[in-house]
């Protein structure tokens, strides 16, 4: 839950630095608690329908705080009217910076749209012509305001897994379909139903000279397209979790992998019971990449009192609420989560110690929110997503989810 702390002044605001895939123009404060992302109306509609009518699906998504529609004529009053749920967390300076960014974005998009006008006209005539968006800017005056999934970690390791064998929506021009089908053919989108679209690993790789100024090894989209294949995909994901340089040993890594397995099974169950079509949506894996901070977070979230049982009227919150399927015993040894992550009435059944922690946390949200995070798994990117009542589950996305389950299960061994 978003805390009540004050958002810093606009001079401290910065472009979002933890994006491993996606478009330019995202904005957050230095703490990373609020995340403003340019989007199209279809994505807004998908978020709003999920949070209104599909709570189990909404639980898989980042917390949705509202939308902004800003252009070169917008002012701070527009922000206050459009997102009242988030305004109390925004200082005047933050609002002014959002308006400034919106005006700059509008100018950039207008220039890009003018240059593309001839191409767009040709595409509308033959439904074939299409050129990739090399600027990475979306032609929109709309943004979603979300809670940042990477907030609360000291050194977040992040992996973006783009789901699906088919990556294009029904309205895609023929040229785009052909290009995306070629990507599927030569990447793990074809063999496994997902592709590593980007990865960021604290002290990752073998060569420290490849780290950025914050100590991360960044694997861009070309890594997932040109390096990762059906034969090495397990080892590539292993690099994301197991990392002796960052003090994440085999036991700790297996525990993280097991936690992701449990959440992936929850994602599978929710998608299998939902009627959607999502093209180029992603699963965003995040966990604490500093091994010492990770162990400290686990110790802080390991309860010492007997477990509180869930009831039908008072279910224990989801594992994502406590951000942990991992605990330590009295000797400081890692305990792998028990059970298969089965969801009953929206409740994850796992290690009873974790369930007790969730029950206690319910009484003091502020104290719980201050605990360091361990891991997070969120479904993101819904620019080409829609609800399709009566058409059954999204098997295209489910194929990728099930492949990821198998891979992470292998990493627990």
């Amino acid at each position: 839950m978003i805390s009540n702390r004050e958002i810093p002044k606009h001079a401290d605001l910065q472009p979002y630095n933890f994006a491993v895939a996606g478009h330019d123009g995202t904005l957050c404060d230095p703490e990373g608690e609020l995340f403003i992302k340019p989007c199209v109306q279809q994505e807004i509609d998908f978020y709003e329908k999920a949070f209104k009518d599909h709570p189990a699906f909404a639980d898989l998504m980042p917390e949705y705080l509202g939308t902004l529609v800003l252009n070169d004529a917008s002012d701070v009053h527009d922000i206050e009217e459009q997102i009242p749920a988030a305004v109390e967390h925004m200082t005047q300076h933050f609002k002014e910076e959002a308006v400034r960014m919106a005006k700059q974005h509008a100018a950039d998009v207008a220039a890009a749209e003018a240059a593309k006008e001839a191409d767009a006209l040709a595409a509308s005539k033959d439904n074939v012509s299409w050129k990739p968006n090399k600027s990475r800017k979306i032609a929109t005056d709309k943004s979603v305001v979300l809670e940042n999934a990477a907030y609360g970690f000291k050194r977040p390791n992040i992996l973006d897994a783009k789901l699906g064998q088919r990556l294009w929506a029904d309205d895609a021009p023929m040229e785009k379909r052909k290009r995306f089908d070629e990507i599927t053919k030569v990447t793990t989108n074809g063999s496994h139903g997902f592709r590593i679209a980007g990865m960021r690993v604290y002290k990752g790789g073998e060569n420290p000279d490849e780290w950025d100024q914050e100590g991360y090894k960044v694997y861009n989209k070309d890594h997932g397209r040109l390096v990762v294949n059906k034969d090495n995909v397990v080892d590539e994901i292993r690099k994301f979790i197991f990392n002796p340089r960052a003090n994440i040993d085999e036991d700790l890594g297996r525990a993280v992998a097991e936690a992701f397995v449990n959440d992936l099974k929850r994602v599978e169950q929710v998608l299998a019971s939902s009627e959607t079509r999502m093209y180029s949506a992603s699963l965003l894996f995040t966990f604490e990449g500093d091994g010492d901070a990770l162990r400290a977070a686990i110790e802080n979230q390991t309860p010492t009192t007997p477990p509180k049982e869930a009831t039908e009227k008072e279910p224990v919150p989801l594992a994502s609420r406590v951000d942990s399927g991992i605990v330590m015993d009295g000797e400081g040894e890692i305990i792998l989560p028990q059970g298969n992550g089965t969801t009953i009435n929206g409740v994850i059944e796992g290690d009873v110690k974790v369930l007790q922690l969730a029950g206690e946390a319910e009484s003091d949200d502020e104290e719980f929110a201050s605990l360091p995070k361990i891991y997070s798994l969120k479904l993101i990117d819904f620019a080409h997503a829609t609800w399709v009542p009566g058409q059954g589950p999204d098997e295209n996305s489910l194929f990728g989810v099930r492949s990821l389950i198998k891979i992470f299960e292998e990493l627990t061994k």
Side-chain angles (χ1 to χ4, degrees):
M1 179 177 294
I2 296 290
S3 71
N4 290 324
R5 67 173 182 80
E6 183 177 281
I7 301 299
K9 295 182 178 181
H10 75 283
D12 296 324
L13 290 168
Q14 57 195 25
Y16 181 57
N17 193 38
F18 288 126
V20 292
H23 294 276
D24 289 337
T26 55
L27 183 70
C28 71
D29 61 285
E31 296 299 324
E33 196 169 6
L34 284 179
F35 179 69
I36 299 176
K37 170 196 167 187
C39 69
V40 295
Q41 185 61 45
Q42 184 171 348
E43 184 160 15
I44 293 172
D45 293 342
F46 194 81
Y47 266 108
E48 300 212 338
K49 182 70 172 176
F51 278 79
K52 178 183 177 183
D53 298 330
H54 304 279
F57 195 101
D59 188 61
L60 305 180
M61 308 164 89
E63 184 177 349
Y64 173 70
L65 301 174
T67 62
L68 283 173
V69 180
L70 300 175
N71 51 47
D72 57 3
S74 298
D75 57 23
V76 169
H77 180 68
D78 293 313
I79 295 179
E80 294 170 343
E81 282 193 336
Q82 293 178 54
I83 50 171
V87 163
E88 63 182 281
H89 308 292
M90 301 170 123
T91 65
Q92 182 75 9
H93 300 287
F94 185 55
K95 299 170 193 174
E96 290 171 356
E97 179 66 7
V99 169
R100 187 195 67 76
M101 291 285 289
K103 292 184 177 185
Q104 181 61 54
H105 183 79
D108 292 342
V109 168
E113 284 299 291
K116 290 168 53 181
E117 188 173 341
D119 294 330
L121 179 61
S124 66
K125 289 181 178 179
D126 60 17
N127 197 35
V128 173
S129 301
W130 171 79
K131 289 186 177 181
N133 180 8
K134 294 183 179 180
S135 73
R136 297 183 72 208
K137 292 183 182 293
I138 303 176
T140 182
D141 60 357
K142 303 177 179 69
S143 295
V144 286
V145 183
L146 307 169
E147 183 177 14
N148 178 17
Y151 174 71
F153 296 93
K154 179 182 178 182
R155 299 289 185 184
N157 281 4
I158 302 172
L159 185 152
D160 183 314
K162 189 169 291 295
L163 298 174
Q165 287 183 310
R166 172 179 159 180
L167 300 172
W168 46 267
D170 292 341
D171 60 353
M174 190 60 65
E175 189 62 33
K176 183 174 184 178
R177 299 183 186 197
K178 290 179 179 179
R179 176 180 167 85
F180 280 20
D181 283 346
E182 183 62 27
I183 291 174
T184 293
K185 182 179 178 181
V186 300
T187 67
T188 54
N189 280 118
S191 59
H192 288 73
F194 78 90
R195 178 180 84 251
I196 298 176
M199 193 163 69
R200 184 179 173 93
V201 182
Y202 180 58
K203 293 186 176 180
E206 299 296 327
N207 184 4
D209 291 339
E210 296 178 346
W211 299 346
D212 66 12
Q213 66 273 19
E214 295 179 339
Y216 285 89
K217 165 73 173 178
V218 178
Y219 301 82
N220 63 21
K221 66 179 182 179
D222 289 336
H223 183 80
R225 292 183 181 183
L226 305 177
V227 177
V228 183
N229 56 53
K230 63 182 178 64
D231 298 318
N232 67 11
V233 63
V234 176
D235 289 333
E236 291 299 318
I237 294 181
R238 186 183 300 276
K239 295 177 184 178
F240 170 62
I241 294 181
F242 298 90
N243 187 3
R245 285 182 178 270
N247 293 325
I248 299 178
D249 59 19
E250 287 294 314
D251 288 343
L252 198 53
R254 284 197 296 270
V256 170
E258 183 69 33
F260 278 129
V261 167
N262 288 338
D263 266 23
L264 282 166
K265 288 180 178 179
R266 177 169 60 95
V267 172
E268 178 190 24
Q269 184 179 52
V270 173
L271 292 191
S273 61
S274 302
E275 295 183 306
T276 66
R277 294 295 181 270
M278 299 180 293
Y279 301 103
S280 294
S282 290
L283 278 172
L284 191 69
F285 296 80
T286 309
F287 80 98
E288 178 53 65
D290 182 309
D292 295 335
L294 179 57
R295 286 184 177 274
I298 295 169
E299 289 175 354
N300 285 338
Q301 293 197 15
T302 300
T304 58
T305 54
K308 171 184 174 182
E309 295 183 359
T311 67
E312 184 175 351
K313 291 185 178 180
E314 296 186 55
V316 175
L318 292 170
S320 60
R321 168 78 184 278
V322 300
D323 297 308
S324 175
I326 314 167
V327 294
M328 288 184 174
D329 63 17
E331 303 297 323
E333 296 295 324
I334 296 294
I335 301 175
L336 291 179
Q338 302 299 312
N340 59 7
T342 303
T343 302
I344 301 177
N345 294 327
V347 176
I348 296 292
E349 288 192 335
D351 192 282
V352 292
K353 293 184 179 180
V354 176
L355 297 183
Q356 164 62 15
L357 172 63
E360 290 185 333
E362 197 169 3
S363 64
D364 193 342
D365 284 341
E366 286 300 318
E367 180 180 352
F368 176 78
S370 68
L371 290 174
K373 293 176 72 174
I374 296 174
Y375 84 103
S376 170
L377 178 63
K378 292 295 179 182
L379 190 61
I380 62 171
D381 293 343
F382 307 108
H384 304 287
T386 186
W387 300 93
V388 289
Q391 297 185 35
D394 185 356
E395 295 295 339
N396 184 53
S397 297
L398 276 166
F399 175 44
V401 173
R402 288 163 180 155
S403 294
L404 284 161
I405 290 173
K406 292 178 182 177
I407 289 173
F408 278 87
E409 284 180 334
E410 184 171 341
L411 295 178
T412 67
K413 300 174 181 176

